[in-house]
Every structure is written in structure tokens, then in C-alpha cells.
Amino acid sequence: MKTFDLTLKKRSETGKKAAKNLRKEEKVLCEIYGNGRNIHCYGDYVPFQKAIYTPHVYLFNLDIEGEKIQAVINEIQFHPVNDKILHVDFIEVVENKPVKVILPVELTGTSVGVMRGGKLRLAKRKLAVEGKINALPETIKIDISKLDVGNSIKVSDLATNDIKFLDPAQTLVVNIAASRATAKSE
């Protein structure tokens, strides 16, 4: 899993007025949960923007006034009009404890069905998984080279040893749908 270094500062005041003043200064408010503690903090907007507006999932190396914490993002709150990042919730990662994250799906290979004129439909771009942080991949790679027209891959078809999929087993991930070109050829 990719890592991202982020420097944060603890908040001395909490509440609406303090939050509003920090947001005016282009700061992002954060909460860090885990190991029986809750840390209120904030950081500069630009590093958050680089980490959040990407398809990648990061393990964050947080430096909070000298204290080092590893965490993953649990939830992000955006402004309803301009999509600016308002608040980020982190969950602290413990090495032997499983963590829940949402990983992007990456398709590899060229499908036989697409070569015959079928249409590739990616139904799930991201899947929820649970596993130890060291065992989590950067993406969930799915080889579609053997998929023909009418074939599909569901969550239950994905085989992994170290991670557990949290989406229902019958959830459709990718399929090759028939198109007009394949209907005419048949």
C-alpha cells in the first residue's frame, strides 16, 4: 500500500467558531480515532488535496507535533457546493489488527468478448475489504482476458488469501454485455 506523509497540529479550541476560523485560513479539520483515544487536529489544505483527489488509497504517516501515528481515512466531508475538503476522519492502524478500507478495482488483459464486439461494463470501481495493513494491495487486480460475451465476475469469484471482501458475494464487479454487433454476427 502506498504511503503519504502528513504534518498536523493539535487543535487548542473546538467548536463552530474555532472550526470556521481555521477553515478561513485554508486548514482542514481532522479527527484521529483508535487505541482508545480521539485526537482533534488540523492541517494545510494543499497536502490533503494531493492525497484525496486521486484514485489511490494511502496509508498516512501522520506527524502530530512530534507524535508519529499511522492511519487510514475513514470518512471525508466535502462542501456541498464547491466540493472543498472540510473534514477528514482517520482511523489509527495497529499492525496486528485488521483494518477496513475501500480499494480501487484495476482491470488487466484484453477480453475475448470485447474483441468479438461485446461491451465491457465495470459495475464496481471500488470494493470494500478488510485485512491486516501489510497484506493489503494497492488495487484489486482482475484479469478479464478469458471473459466472453455474457460472462461476468462477481465478488465471490475473486480469490484472495489475506483479505476479506465486505461487499455481498453476489455483487457484480465486471461483465461483458452483448452489443448490436455481436447480435448481428450470431
Side-chain angles (χ1 to χ4, degrees):
M1 182 173 267
K2 293 183 179 187
T3 60
F4 194 92
D5 296 330
L6 199 58
T7 304
L8 302 174
K9 295 180 181 176
K10 289 186 180 179
R11 286 195 284 173
S12 57
E13 297 178 19
T14 58
K16 284 185 180 182
K17 189 174 183 180
K20 190 174 184 179
N21 290 336
L22 285 171
R23 287 186 181 122
K24 279 183 184 177
E25 297 173 12
E26 294 288 314
K27 304 296 183 192
V28 176
L29 304 177
C30 307
E31 300 287 330
I32 302 170
Y33 302 103
N35 286 343
R37 61 182 171 175
N38 181 10
I39 303 171
H40 303 280
C41 50
Y42 66 92
D44 292 326
Y45 184 77
V46 175
F48 278 98
Q49 193 175 14
K50 290 179 182 176
I52 291 174
Y53 291 123
T54 65
H56 306 292
V57 177
Y58 291 104
L59 172 65
F60 287 86
N61 295 319
L62 304 176
D63 182 4
I64 307 166
E65 298 177 356
E67 184 181 358
K68 308 282 186 194
I69 296 175
Q70 283 193 322
V72 293
I73 291 179
N74 183 39
E75 185 180 357
I76 305 169
Q77 294 175 6
F78 295 97
H79 190 277
V81 176
N82 60 18
D83 280 340
K84 195 170 181 178
I85 304 163
L86 296 177
H87 189 93
V88 178
D89 285 340
F90 290 100
I91 294 185
E92 188 174 352
V93 173
V94 180
E95 212 168 296
N96 296 330
K97 190 176 177 184
V99 64
K100 296 176 184 177
V101 294
I102 297 174
L103 296 177
V105 173
E106 181 182 344
L107 302 179
T108 59
T110 305
S111 169
V112 175
V114 171
M115 301 283 272
R116 291 185 45 222
K119 293 200 179 222
L120 177 70
R121 305 264 166 106
L122 181 60
K124 293 287 281 185
R125 294 187 182 279
K126 296 183 178 187
L127 292 172
V129 297
E130 181 180 36
K132 293 182 181 174
I133 198 68
N134 298 336
L136 292 177
E138 290 180 18
T139 61
I140 299 171
K141 293 185 184 198
I142 301 175
D143 183 20
I144 60 167
S145 57
K146 295 180 182 176
L147 283 183
D148 203 353
V149 176
N151 292 17
S152 63
I153 295 177
K154 297 178 181 174
V155 172
S156 60
D157 300 330
L158 302 175
T160 57
N161 297 335
D162 300 332
I163 62 174
K164 174 184 168 188
F165 289 97
L166 301 177
D167 291 302
Q170 293 302 314
T171 302
L172 180 68
V173 180
V174 63
N175 72 328
I176 307 297
S179 66
R180 290 181 187 174
T182 57
K184 287 180 182 178
S185 65
E186 291 177 358

